[in-house]
Amino acid sequence: NIQAEYLIRVRELLPSGKPLHFWGIGHPSTFAFFVALGADSFDSAAYALFAEDGRYMTIEGTMYLKDLEEFPCDCPECSRYTPKEVKSMPQEEIMRFLARHNLHVCVREIKKVREAIRGGWLWELVQMRARYHPKLLEALIFTFKHFKDELEKREPFSKKSGLFYSGEETKERPEVYRAKKMLRRVIKVKRFFSTVLYDQVPIGLRYTYPFGQTHVPGEAEPEEEPTDEELISHILQYQFGPEAVNAFENPIVIRSKSTGMPRQVFDGEERVGMIRHYDGMFVPSLEGARKLVRVLPYPRSRVVIKRRFAETVARGTTVFTHFIEDIDPEIRPYQEVIAVDDSDSVLAVGKTILSGLEVEEFENHPFMKVRHHVLPRESETN
Amino acid sequence: NIQAEYLIRVRELLPSGKPLHFWGIGHPSTFAFFVALGADSFDSAAYALFAEDGRYMTIEGTMYLKDLEEFPCDCPECSRYTPKEVKSMPQEEIMRFLARHNLHVCVREIKKVREAIRGGWLWELVQMRARYHPKLLEALIFTFKHFKDELEKREPFSKKSGLFYSGEETKERPEVYRAKKMLRRVIKVKRFFSTVLYDQVPIGLRYTYPFGQTHVPGEAEPEEEPTDEELISHILQYQFGPEAVNAFENPIVIRSKSTGMPRQVFDGEERVGMIRHYDGMFVPSLEGARKLVRVLPYPRSRVVIKRRFAETVARGTTVFTHFIEDIDPEIRPYQEVIAVDDSDSVLAVGKTILSGLEVEEFENHPFMKVRHHVLPRESETN
């Protein structure tokens, strides 16, 4: 608990762009947890100290070499020998064998953590690893309860992988905490569905992250299907706030002919965006973005671009942190946002990479990947 | 759920001695679960089918090769190549690579399951693996709730490893279910300590399995220390039933000088047994066993040996199932029991390997390892 608390506090003090080296973290089962809290690198003599003590690390728990009848591992060391063979080696060679094996376990886990980050399932990995020992689970529960806001700030707004329930602590996950908070922006709802993690959810959000991607043991899919009106109204409010419901006059959803899933969104004759298949988020077209900007209070959902970078963004360049004049601090990574110039004209729409709060912390870092932009690319004009 | 239910029902129909081959179980994340329910072997084409589909198995979840930037694995295949290299291979070689890797994951998991059985942490492994997917967690919860009695019957009475809490389903574990049931045998208790899993536990059981070996996030050790009288009274009643409290007239506990932990148990001048350090169980001496047999209703805690095997057991031979005339059906594996002849004279004391119920199912299998016996060994008389 103390390690977790210190780590979070130090991470809060440091700019996001600065790597944080966490010294002395020993067991690889804890790597995922500390990475999720903001650590970037580790070092520890644990692999060697454990080896000196005759201990064989595995991610499910540490065993003594003397108790092992077979190696539940494929590392180059373990592939070469049987436990019986290792036990008959001179003491020094045994230690060298164990140290190498233990180090392999650490490196393998670091690779797994990186894959989990790339795949959007880091908290799932942390929750699995927390079953390594109740103390680790205790630290995780403590962290979720006491650092909700700190964790929420850097947590992606949408992910490509599901949100898996794995115990009571799931209710305290930063994604769940945020989702419940943001549900309060969705008003005048007539139909809901019941969930374990989020309580009552407006029916129009049944496909939207995290509601539609959450898997809880024994929980069934909602039975009712949202109408077009419910879909658009609830998704827009959830993503952009209650004012967004006024953006479109006569919205219609075109559903996929093969799957029946909502796809294109029109406002009368005009295509204003689409509902993305994997996370049920509304991805506005340029016209959709213009209509949204008209109704959303400044600076909601906006990335305001400095005058001298406005044209380059309008031509489709990735938005870097130093292009940014002003920003909605509520913006989170992987969120659909609208780049505007200083007179609130739409330049581009796209997806963020960082939190709005992190703009100040990174001097020169990609912030937003542009999807649609109002001017042709340089290359296209030449 | 259906697979789990069928497996348990079939296992119930089959004698314990017969291996159960479970066909078509594909993902290695489920192996530990199905082994815990009674499966002995598996086969499945899943490793190859997944490979055909471009899927790379890991115990934490299945990924697509195309999404991988590095292999979080040390198997001989993954040690040889990078994902980039594999992706550039001809389709057939990619499939062969994936099939071999997937098979390695399966074999590694089987080895881990075997280590977990040997180490007494199979349910811990099952609970970790259940975090692979909420459906698996759902099946585990379902199984614990509906097959408590079936699972309890074959569950060891004591283990060398701790009992780790890893989510609400822990409350339904067979060890917890049994411990709560057996606590009812402990009567006239004045002091208790509070626990999450077992509610109120008599203070004398604070070192005894599973109470003293249970780790729950945030749960502290009990503050009070049991008196000698509480230790002996509560442990004896827990292990042998309420009548056992009358076995000894004037019991005293000798504590370790270095650790203060209870060790030898005397009744007046006579050594009647000891309290085992790792599980806090009472291990009777021959004299202790004689005093216990006098007060315990027949056939409680007894293994009654057929007349023609009485001498061999009295001389210290392992008790095989076909030596047994009668038995307490409540006996469980790894429990301290008393071997008696058909006139209820003590022959030996020792630890069981199987359940009392399983005696009929195994024709010729070791049942009880003898610790103390009343006659010298054959070799000692020659």
Side-chain angles (χ1 to χ4, degrees):
Chain A
N1 291 9
I2 288 178
Q3 285 176 318
E5 189 166 349
Y6 282 3
L7 174 56
I8 292 174
R9 299 230 185 271
V10 170
R11 185 76 272 184
E12 282 291 295
L13 294 172
L14 272 181
S16 303
K18 300 288 172 214
L20 196 157
H21 179 80
F22 203 17
W23 186 83
I25 288 306
H27 203 283
S29 298
T30 66
F31 288 173
F33 177 57
F34 289 115
V35 167
L37 303 193
D40 295 283
S41 55
F42 303 99
D43 71 81
S44 166
Y47 76 95
L49 297 173
F50 275 56
E52 277 180 40
D53 198 28
R55 288 198 277 173
Y56 178 95
M57 284 176 166
T58 86
I59 210 75
E60 287 84 13
T62 300
M63 300 167 221
Y64 282 94
L65 172 65
K66 67 176 168 56
D67 297 329
L68 282 175
E69 287 186 27
E70 52 191 334
F71 290 132
C73 174
D74 278 332
C75 82
E77 302 300 313
C78 294
S79 312
R80 212 173 357 241
Y81 304 106
T82 66
K84 213 177 150 186
E85 286 162 2
V86 176
K87 287 177 205 173
S88 70
M89 292 175 180
Q91 192 53 31
E92 200 153 305
E93 271 183 61
I94 293 182
M95 272 170 47
R96 215 171 304 138
F97 168 88
L98 284 174
R100 284 201 194 118
H101 159 79
N102 289 347
L103 201 52
H104 273 290
V105 175
C106 294
V107 171
R108 205 189 311 159
E109 180 66 2
I110 288 289
K111 288 184 189 171
K112 186 145 280 175
V113 170
R114 284 198 292 242
E115 274 303 321
I117 294 171
R118 287 189 282 257
W121 49 280
L122 181 60
W123 285 122
E124 272 69 27
L125 185 64
V126 171
Q127 288 188 283
M128 281 186 228
R129 294 299 183 244
R131 270 72 197 176
Y132 159 69
H133 197 282
K135 287 270 171 222
L136 189 55
L137 183 56
E138 184 179 334
L140 179 62
I141 294 171
F142 173 88
T143 306
F144 278 162
K145 286 211 171 132
H146 291 84
F147 298 98
K148 285 176 180 323
D149 288 298
E150 289 78 358
L151 293 173
E152 188 278 319
K153 275 189 231 168
R154 298 167 204 279
E155 192 64 34
F157 191 75
S158 172
K159 294 177 186 178
K160 287 201 175 180
S161 57
L163 194 154
F164 285 1
Y165 181 92
S166 73
E168 309 97 301
E169 82 281 9
T170 315
K171 293 186 182 172
E172 316 278 347
R173 270 176 64 153
E175 302 99 314
V176 176
Y177 169 65
R178 170 166 55 215
K180 287 172 82 168
K181 209 166 59 173
M182 296 198 34
L183 278 183
R184 289 187 223 127
R185 316 209 289 188
V186 188
I187 54 173
K188 293 187 196 157
V189 180
K190 293 209 182 87
R191 293 198 299 162
F192 293 90
F193 61 100
S194 295
T195 66
V196 170
L197 292 182
Y198 315 101
D199 306 323
Q200 295 293 98
V201 177
I203 187 74
L205 295 172
R206 70 165 288 185
Y207 302 117
T208 300
Y209 189 89
F211 315 107
Q213 288 71 23
T214 295
H215 298 269
V216 175
E219 187 166 274
E221 294 259 306
E223 281 170 22
E224 290 176 85
E225 184 60 28
T227 63
D228 287 10
E229 207 197 320
E230 285 170 323
L231 272 171
I232 295 173
S233 153
H234 301 170
I235 295 175
L236 285 181
Q237 290 186 78
Y238 184 76
Q239 273 181 258
F240 303 100
E243 300 84 353
V245 77
N246 302 317
F248 309 137
E249 275 170 44
N250 193 16
I252 308 160
V253 177
I254 312 292
R255 290 179 177 248
S256 152
K257 276 183 190 153
S258 55
T259 64
M261 292 289 282
R263 284 292 166 264
Q264 301 299 330
V265 180
F266 282 78
D267 187 14
E269 297 285 290
E270 217 157 25
R271 187 179 163 284
V272 289
M274 58 168 294
I275 295 174
R276 190 160 46 199
H277 72 99
Y278 68 82
D279 66 356
M281 293 282 178
F282 180 72
V283 179
S285 67
L286 287 169
E287 197 43 50
R290 284 190 195 103
K291 295 189 177 204
L292 275 165
V293 164
R294 234 168 273 155
V295 298
L296 298 182
Y298 183 89
R300 175 96 51 77
S301 294
R302 290 166 176 88
V303 181
V304 185
I305 306 294
K306 287 176 184 161
R307 186 165 297 185
R308 69 179 184 283
F309 296 108
E311 195 191 321
T312 178
V313 171
R315 293 201 186 276
T317 310
T318 294
V319 175
F320 278 70
T321 46
H322 65 283
F323 292 8
I324 300 174
E325 177 80 47
D326 195 8
I327 189 152
D328 173 2
E330 301 291 320
I331 286 172
R332 298 291 174 258
Y334 302 120
Q335 184 166 0
E336 295 303 311
V337 295
I338 305 166
V340 295
D341 64 15
D342 54 10
S343 56
D344 219 19
S345 293
V346 172
L347 299 171
V349 293
K351 190 164 76 173
T352 54
I353 293 161
L354 303 173
S355 266
L357 292 162
E358 289 172 321
V359 169
E360 303 232 324
E361 300 174 357
F362 285 87
E363 267 182 39
N364 188 4
H365 192 281
F367 178 80
M368 167 184 169
K369 280 190 187 167
V370 168
R371 191 189 313 277
H372 308 297
H373 41 98
V374 297
L375 293 180
R377 288 191 186 276
E378 280 303 341
S379 58
E380 292 163 341
T381 58
N382 289 351
Chain B
N1 291 9
I2 288 178
Q3 286 176 316
E5 188 167 349
Y6 282 2
L7 174 56
I8 292 174
R9 298 227 186 274
V10 171
R11 185 77 271 183
E12 283 290 297
L13 294 173
L14 271 182
S16 302
K18 300 287 172 214
L20 195 157
H21 178 81
F22 203 17
W23 186 83
I25 288 305
H27 202 283
S29 298
T30 66
F31 289 173
F33 177 57
F34 289 116
V35 167
L37 303 194
D40 295 283
S41 56
F42 303 100
D43 70 80
S44 165
Y47 77 95
L49 296 172
F50 275 57
E52 276 179 40
D53 198 28
R55 288 197 278 174
Y56 178 96
M57 284 176 166
T58 86
I59 210 73
E60 288 83 13
T62 300
M63 300 168 222
Y64 282 94
L65 172 66
K66 67 177 169 52
D67 297 330
L68 283 173
E69 286 187 27
E70 51 192 334
F71 291 131
C73 174
D74 278 332
C75 82
E77 302 300 313
C78 294
S79 312
R80 212 173 357 240
Y81 305 105
T82 66
K84 213 177 151 189
E85 286 163 1
V86 176
K87 287 178 205 172
S88 70
M89 291 175 181
Q91 192 53 30
E92 199 153 308
E93 271 183 60
I94 294 181
M95 271 170 48
R96 214 171 303 138
F97 168 89
L98 285 173
R100 283 201 194 116
H101 160 80
N102 290 346
L103 201 52
H104 273 290
V105 175
C106 294
V107 172
R108 205 190 309 157
E109 180 66 2
I110 289 288
K111 288 183 189 172
K112 189 144 276 173
V113 169
R114 284 198 292 241
E115 273 305 320
I117 294 171
R118 287 188 282 257
W121 48 280
L122 181 60
W123 285 122
E124 272 69 26
L125 185 63
V126 171
Q127 287 188 284
M128 282 186 225
R129 295 300 183 243
R131 272 69 196 177
Y132 158 70
H133 196 282
K135 286 271 170 217
L136 188 56
L137 183 55
E138 185 179 333
L140 179 61
I141 295 170
F142 173 88
T143 305
F144 278 163
K145 287 210 171 134
H146 290 84
F147 298 98
K148 283 175 180 327
D149 288 297
E150 289 79 357
L151 294 173
E152 189 277 320
K153 275 190 232 167
R154 297 167 203 278
E155 192 64 35
F157 190 75
S158 172
K159 294 177 187 179
K160 287 202 175 179
S161 59
L163 194 154
F164 285 3
Y165 181 91
S166 74
E168 309 99 299
E169 82 281 7
T170 316
K171 294 187 183 171
E172 316 277 348
R173 270 176 64 154
E175 301 99 315
V176 177
Y177 169 66
R178 170 166 57 215
K180 288 172 80 169
K181 209 165 61 173
M182 294 198 36
L183 278 182
R184 288 187 223 128
R185 316 209 290 190
V186 188
I187 56 174
K188 292 187 195 154
V189 180
K190 293 210 183 85
R191 293 198 299 160
F192 293 89
F193 62 99
S194 295
T195 66
V196 171
L197 292 184
Y198 316 100
D199 306 322
Q200 296 292 99
V201 177
I203 188 72
L205 295 172
R206 72 166 285 185
Y207 302 117
T208 300
Y209 189 88
F211 315 107
Q213 289 71 23
T214 295
H215 299 270
V216 175
E219 187 167 274
E221 293 260 307
E223 281 171 21
E224 292 177 85
E225 183 61 27
T227 63
D228 287 10
E229 206 197 323
E230 286 170 322
L231 272 171
I232 295 174
S233 154
H234 301 170
I235 295 175
L236 285 181
Q237 290 187 77
Y238 183 75
Q239 273 182 257
F240 303 100
E243 299 85 352
V245 78
N246 301 316
F248 309 137
E249 274 170 44
N250 193 16
I252 309 159
V253 177
I254 312 294
R255 289 179 179 250
S256 152
K257 276 182 189 154
S258 56
T259 64
M261 291 288 282
R263 285 292 167 265
Q264 301 300 328
V265 181
F266 282 77
D267 187 14
E269 297 285 291
E270 216 156 25
R271 189 179 161 283
V272 290
M274 59 169 295
I275 295 173
R276 189 161 48 200
H277 72 98
Y278 67 82
D279 66 355
M281 292 282 177
F282 180 71
V283 179
S285 66
L286 287 170
E287 197 42 51
R290 284 190 194 103
K291 294 190 176 203
L292 276 165
V293 163
R294 235 169 273 154
V295 298
L296 298 182
Y298 184 88
R300 174 96 49 77
S301 293
R302 290 167 177 89
V303 180
V304 185
I305 306 294
K306 287 176 184 162
R307 187 165 296 186
R308 68 179 185 281
F309 295 109
E311 195 192 322
T312 179
V313 171
R315 293 200 184 277
T317 310
T318 294
V319 175
F320 278 71
T321 45
H322 65 284
F323 293 8
I324 299 173
E325 175 81 46
D326 194 9
I327 189 152
D328 174 1
E330 300 292 319
I331 286 172
R332 297 290 175 258
Y334 302 120
Q335 185 167 357
E336 295 303 311
V337 295
I338 304 167
V340 295
D341 64 15
D342 53 10
S343 56
D344 218 20
S345 293
V346 172
L347 301 171
V349 292
K351 190 164 77 172
T352 54
I353 293 161
L354 302 174
S355 265
L357 291 162
E358 289 171 321
V359 169
E360 304 231 324
E361 298 175 359
F362 285 88
E363 268 183 37
N364 188 4
H365 192 280
F367 178 79
M368 167 185 171
K369 281 189 187 169
V370 168
R371 192 188 313 278
H372 307 299
H373 42 97
V374 297
L375 295 180
R377 286 190 189 277
E378 280 303 340
S379 58
E380 291 163 341
T381 59
N382 289 350

